[in-house]
């Protein structure tokens, strides 16, 4: 974007450039909102068609658009016939599915072992769906019990993510964690979790507008330093080690 705006390195960005960037951001938001509304009315096939008309060649799926609810495993993918229809539409248009964003499949850092294992198992079906659709990874959440201290939550999330990532590795897939509220929105905490998982196919999907200090969880000034450090590391360096595109 900066190249397109002809901003030279070291040049002080003026109000015009800031306005232009804001306009681009708003336009993209409107585009995505429009695509979402189309999806609500026409289903995933109609949504794919709409995205394709804007010249976008890659699809990020959201599991909340094609799920059935399971009593123990949370949101699970619709049947194989539905997935096959999605895949056919993407293939027919020469597009590519890149990932599935997975929500409401249980907490991978749940303090109850049975529920944590159920969350890991619940994500297995989304790994299989991602593999079938041609995605390279799934996006998950590092969520635990907010009443526990940060260190305990980190340990629990590390365990759940490691088990899930080990399964994903056997399928040639990656598991990426978004800073999506709770302690996961503390970049330093999330970086520690990913480092402790210690697997090349487990990394992050940073949302740079979603880093913050959870109330009563830390010093704001210190966190700003930690966030700056995390922004430099980003922990997406895993993609260079593993060969995954994220």
């Amino acid at each position: 974007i900066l190249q397109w705006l002809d901003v030279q390195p070291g040049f002080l960005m003026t109000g015009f450039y800031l306005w232009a960037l804001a306009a681009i951001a708003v336009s993209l938001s409107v585009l995505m909102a429009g695509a979402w509304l189309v999806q609500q009315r026409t289903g995933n096939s109609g949504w794919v068609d709409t995205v394709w008309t804007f010249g976008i060649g890659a699809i990020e799926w959201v599991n909340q658009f094609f799920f059935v609810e399971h009593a123990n495993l949370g949101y699970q993918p619709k049947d194989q016939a539905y997935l096959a229809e999605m895949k056919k539409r993407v293939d027919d248009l020469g597009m590519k599915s890149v990932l599935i964003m997975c929500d409401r499949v249980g907490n991978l850092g749940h303090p109850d072992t049975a529920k944590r294992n159920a969350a890991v198992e619940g994500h297995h079906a989304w790994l299989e769906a991602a593999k079938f659709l041609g995605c390279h990874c799934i996006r998950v959440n590092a969520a635990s019990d907010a009443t526990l201290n940060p260190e305990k939550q980190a340990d629990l999330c590390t365990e759940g993510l490691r088990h899930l990532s080990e399964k994903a590795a056997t399928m040639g897939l990656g598991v990426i964690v978004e800073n999506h509220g709770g302690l996961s929105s503390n970049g330093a905490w999330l970086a520690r979790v990913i480092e402790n998982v210690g697997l090349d196919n487990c990394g992050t999907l940073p949302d740079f507008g979603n880093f913050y200090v959870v109330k009563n969880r830390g010093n704001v000034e210190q966190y700003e330093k930690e966030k700056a450090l995390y922004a430099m590391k980003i922990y997406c360096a895993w993609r260079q080690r593993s060969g995954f595109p994220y």
Side-chain angles (χ1 to χ4, degrees), residues 66-143:
F66 57 108
F67 74 93
V68 291
E69 190 154 13
H70 188 281
N72 298 320
L73 303 179
Y75 284 8
Q76 296 292 282
K78 286 189 174 182
D79 59 40
Q80 193 67 20
Y82 191 90
L83 296 178
E85 180 186 346
M86 290 166 56
K87 185 178 189 305
K88 182 178 186 305
R89 195 66 192 136
V90 171
D91 291 345
D92 287 348
L93 293 172
M95 301 176 73
K96 181 174 177 57
S97 296
V98 294
L99 63 84
I100 302 176
M101 292 181 275
C102 301
D103 298 306
R104 302 186 182 184
V105 195
N107 289 350
L108 291 170
H110 201 290
D112 183 283
T113 301
K115 292 183 178 179
R116 186 169 62 255
N117 290 340
V120 173
E121 182 183 350
H123 282 84
H124 287 178
W126 292 108
L127 286 172
E128 292 168 1
K131 184 72 173 180
F132 175 76
L133 292 172
C135 301
H136 60 75
C137 65
I138 61 172
R139 187 277 282 152
V140 304
N141 300 304

Side-chain angles (χ1 to χ4, degrees), residues 211-239:
F211 288 114
Y212 59 86
V213 180
V214 178
K215 187 177 181 181
N216 298 327
R217 288 297 189 187
N219 178 278
V220 174
E221 182 178 345
Q222 179 61 31
Y223 177 66
E224 286 301 318
K225 297 177 182 177
E226 294 173 347
K227 185 172 69 172
L229 175 63
Y230 179 72
M232 288 188 290
K233 293 174 66 175
I234 300 192
Y235 246 93
C236 279
W238 73 283
R239 65 185 177 185

Side-chain angles (χ1 to χ4, degrees), residues 8-246:
Q8 300 301 318
F11 186 78
L12 180 63
M13 182 172 283
T14 65
F16 168 77
Y17 292 126
L18 290 173
W19 176 88
L21 288 173
I24 292 171
V26 170
S27 298
L28 289 173
S29 296
V30 171
L31 170 61
M32 290 301 101
W36 181 83
L37 289 172
V38 170
Q39 193 280 338
Q40 294 296 297
R41 290 181 175 275
T42 64
N44 284 300
S45 292
W47 178 66
V48 171
D49 292 347
T50 301
V51 172
W52 177 79
T53 62
F54 286 96
I56 298 173
I59 292 285
E60 293 186 357
W61 298 105
V62 181
N63 75 334
Q64 296 183 60
F65 289 160
F66 57 108
F67 74 93
V68 291
E69 190 154 13
H70 188 281
N72 298 320
L73 303 179
Y75 284 8
Q76 296 292 282
K78 286 189 174 182
D79 59 40
Q80 193 67 20
Y82 191 90
L83 296 178
E85 180 186 346
M86 290 166 56
K87 185 178 189 305
K88 182 178 186 305
R89 195 66 192 136
V90 171
D91 291 345
D92 287 348
L93 293 172
M95 301 176 73
K96 181 174 177 57
S97 296
V98 294
L99 63 84
I100 302 176
M101 292 181 275
C102 301
D103 298 306
R104 302 186 182 184
V105 195
N107 289 350
L108 291 170
H110 201 290
D112 183 283
T113 301
K115 292 183 178 179
R116 186 169 62 255
N117 290 340
V120 173
E121 182 183 350
H123 282 84
H124 287 178
W126 292 108
L127 286 172
E128 292 168 1
K131 184 72 173 180
F132 175 76
L133 292 172
C135 301
H136 60 75
C137 65
I138 61 172
R139 187 277 282 152
V140 304
N141 300 304
S144 183
D145 182 342
T147 64
L148 301 175
N149 66 54
E151 291 73 22
K152 182 61 175 178
Q153 291 188 56
D155 290 343
L156 291 168
C157 288
T158 296
E159 181 180 338
L161 280 168
R162 182 181 296 119
H163 289 319
L164 179 59
S165 298
E166 287 172 345
K167 173 66 175 180
T170 66
M171 305 170 70
L173 296 173
V175 174
I176 54 179
V177 185
E178 184 176 354
N179 46 306
H180 210 192
L183 284 174
S184 74
S185 286
N186 182 307
W189 180 91
L190 182 56
R192 174 190 170 189
V193 169
I194 299 301
E195 185 173 21
N196 288 344
V197 171
L199 296 173
D200 286 343
N201 70 321
C202 183
T204 62
L205 178 62
D207 176 351
F208 290 102
N210 200 25
F211 288 114
Y212 59 86
V213 180
V214 178
K215 187 177 181 181
N216 298 327
R217 288 297 189 187
N219 178 278
V220 174
E221 182 178 345
Q222 179 61 31
Y223 177 66
E224 286 301 318
K225 297 177 182 177
E226 294 173 347
K227 185 172 69 172
L229 175 63
Y230 179 72
M232 288 188 290
K233 293 174 66 175
I234 300 192
Y235 246 93
C236 279
W238 73 283
R239 65 185 177 185
Q240 298 173 347
R241 301 196 307 270
S242 64
F244 283 97
Y246 261 80

